[in-house]
Amino acid sequence: MQASVEDKERFQQKLRDSAEKQTKFRILVVDDELSILELVKTALETLENYDVEIASSAADGLERILDSEKPFDCFLLDIQMPEIDGIELLSQMRVLPEYAETPVLMLTAMSDRKYIDAAFRAGASDYVNKPFDFFELRSRIKSAHDLVEARREVEKNEHLVSDLKQKQAHIQQFNFDDPLSINGADCFLRYIEFDNYISQLARRKIFGSQAVSIMLHDAKLFYDLAGCTSFRNAIQDMAYCIQRATSEFDCVVSYRGSGVFVLVIHGQKSPDSIIGPESISEFLGARIRQHIDDERIEILVGKPVPMRVLSRTGAKDVLQKAVTAVQQLETELQKHDAEAEASTTSLIHPVQAKGQKRIYERVLHELFGEESYLISR
């Protein structure tokens, strides 16, 4: 029996409906204001054809998250809600393995920096102000959508790897300039979240802070000699040491790739103590030397750059200046190191070589006098 034209069209429609159901971007909006919920749901489903679910409390939202057969792709969470606020809900979500990386946009009318800091430290991806500019909200969610699609593509490629050992090796590989995620550090934000955090500070004109960059000297050589795994471990150790050294500071930190960390330090406290002999250098050298046998492990700390510019573009320029400052310091040290090596012959006796003043200390004195921004072992 031959299928009719109607049957074929009905079958094709089922296929289209099934494909749309599988790929539709699912968003959960949690807010205790019903008018906001309905407005956001209608706008997003009309403008972008998203699949939007709503919850009027954190408890209701958590129940929907736990009961959902298919994971949500993105969340919009109001911060101020009775009983359980949005930040606490976010913290509870992040411990669920399927939502450890899911984009979360915080919705709030609060402008105090303590709310911004608390949200990003709890794992927020971005921060959206009330009342909404729907074009901006649409753009932020589109960015989250693109991020989810990119992660899905990575997962799809990983599923093609049949051998577990090969898959693990693939996951562990990364480029030298990749901004790695730092685990187990409260004040550390990932690359994108850090940029969003800086944008929020600029929006609210909350500046009077300083940006400081910290770099692993000769990090590229370290990466080439030690390999991905050891380099990743060394960066993780470096992050641990930075967190210890900045425990008394009001600051936020991000690893930017290429062996460089950027710190934004709030308040009037001077960042000089970060580079003192009792701070990072006290315990960093021994930890990093677990990964590579090199007695010349050095940490460079750039000059602090005041964050007085009140625009988002200006704020990012300040961060780049902080990174450039530490990179220029490394360039000067490498240049002086190369010149010193070129002038040294193989006739120098080992005992005489040991008696020479360290190149780094001499160069540092020439660059900054008594005010040193280099941390040595």
Side-chain angles (χ1 to χ4, degrees):
M1 179 177 179
Q2 189 172 3
S4 65
V5 174
E6 291 79 6
D7 290 335
K8 291 180 179 179
E9 290 180 352
R10 190 161 49 249
F11 177 71
Q12 291 296 327
Q13 184 61 45
K14 283 185 177 181
L15 290 179
R16 288 193 293 270
D17 292 343
S18 177
E20 182 180 359
K21 185 177 180 181
Q22 290 176 359
T23 59
K24 213 166 187 181
F25 193 67
R26 302 186 68 230
I27 302 174
L28 176 63
V29 186
V30 184
D31 197 307
D32 61 329
E33 296 184 44
L34 295 180
S35 59
I36 294 291
L37 290 176
E38 293 298 336
L39 184 63
V40 172
K41 177 178 174 64
T42 301
L44 293 181
E45 290 185 336
T46 301
L47 294 174
E48 293 293 346
N49 195 31
Y50 292 142
D51 179 8
V52 181
E53 292 190 27
I54 58 177
S56 59
S57 69
D60 183 21
L62 186 59
E63 184 176 352
R64 288 176 179 271
I65 291 169
L66 297 176
D67 292 343
S68 179
E69 294 182 1
K70 183 180 178 182
F72 290 98
D73 299 309
C74 182
F75 295 94
L76 276 65
L77 307 181
D78 183 30
I79 289 185
Q80 282 193 304
M81 292 187 290
E83 297 182 3
I84 302 175
D85 64 22
I87 294 175
E88 176 60 28
L89 174 59
L90 173 59
S91 298
Q92 295 183 36
M93 287 169 44
R94 285 304 190 204
V95 302
L96 302 174
E98 61 268 38
Y99 293 117
E101 302 287 338
T102 304
V104 178
L105 285 69
M106 306 304 290
L107 310 177
T108 184
M110 306 303 296
S111 60
D112 196 312
R113 186 173 65 83
K114 69 179 182 180
Y115 293 102
I116 302 174
D117 284 16
F120 277 98
R121 290 186 180 188
S125 306
D126 210 342
Y127 200 93
V128 180
N129 299 309
K130 293 181 180 179
F132 302 119
D133 178 335
F134 270 101
F135 289 103
E136 182 181 4
L137 179 62
R138 183 182 180 186
S139 175
R140 301 284 187 88
I141 295 177
K142 181 63 167 59
S143 296
H145 190 182
D146 293 342
L147 181 61
V148 169
E149 289 301 316
R151 287 172 178 167
R152 283 176 176 170
E153 188 64 28
V154 171
E155 291 175 0
K156 184 190 302 183
N157 292 335
E158 288 178 353
H159 286 314
L160 298 177
V161 182
S162 59
D163 186 274
L164 179 59
K165 191 172 182 180
Q166 289 181 343
K167 180 191 288 187
Q168 290 175 334
H170 171 73
I171 294 173
Q172 291 175 353
Q173 296 300 311
F174 58 91
N175 294 323
F176 170 67
D177 55 357
D178 286 346
L180 307 175
S181 296
I182 302 299
N183 301 320
D186 293 337
C187 61
F188 278 75
L189 299 182
R190 291 175 295 186
Y191 193 98
I192 294 176
E193 284 78 357
F194 183 77
D195 285 350
N196 290 337
Y197 172 78
I198 295 301
S199 294
Q200 289 304 318
L201 296 184
R203 281 173 179 274
R204 289 162 176 75
K205 305 189 183 326
I206 306 175
F207 281 130
S209 308
Q210 301 178 80
V212 182
S213 285
I214 300 179
M215 169 186 275
L216 177 63
H217 185 38
D218 282 338
K220 185 60 169 67
L221 179 61
F222 191 136
Y223 173 86
D224 292 338
L225 293 177
C228 287
T229 300
S230 292
F231 184 78
R232 182 194 297 272
N233 291 338
I235 292 301
Q236 183 69 42
D237 282 345
M238 191 170 169
Y240 166 78
C241 295
I242 291 173
Q243 178 169 274
R244 283 191 56 179
T246 59
S247 60
E248 297 181 0
F249 286 82
D250 179 9
C251 70
V252 174
V253 189
S254 178
Y255 178 66
R256 313 300 283 175
S258 305
V260 177
F261 291 81
V262 174
L263 294 74
V264 172
I265 301 174
H266 302 292
Q268 300 301 317
K269 193 168 184 178
S270 172
D272 290 346
S273 60
I274 297 176
I275 60 177
E278 302 302 324
S279 57
I280 300 178
S281 60
E282 181 181 2
F283 39 82
L284 181 61
R287 292 183 68 92
I288 291 186
R289 289 186 188 91
Q290 297 174 20
H291 312 296
I292 185 170
D293 183 18
D294 191 334
E295 290 298 316
R296 298 176 305 156
I297 295 298
E298 303 285 351
I299 304 300
L300 305 179
V301 180
K303 288 184 176 180
V305 180
M307 301 186 73
R308 301 192 182 99
V309 184
L310 301 181
S311 68
R312 280 178 286 176
T313 302
K316 291 183 178 179
D317 287 344
V318 168
L319 297 183
Q320 185 56 52
K321 286 181 180 178
V323 173
T324 301
V326 78
Q327 289 174 338
Q328 289 176 341
L329 176 57
E330 180 178 53
T331 299
E332 291 294 332
L333 292 172
Q334 289 175 335
K335 179 180 178 181
H336 198 288
D337 196 4
E339 292 174 352
E341 185 176 347
S343 64
T344 302
T345 67
S346 58
L347 298 178
I348 296 180
H349 193 276
V351 174
Q352 292 177 311
K354 287 183 179 180
Q356 293 180 336
K357 187 175 182 179
R358 295 193 67 177
I359 294 174
Y360 293 114
E361 294 174 347
R362 185 168 64 253
V363 175
L364 201 59
H365 184 79
E366 293 173 358
L367 289 174
F368 302 110
E370 296 299 327
E371 187 177 13
S372 172
Y373 288 92
L374 173 67
I375 298 175
S376 60
R377 170 176 70 85

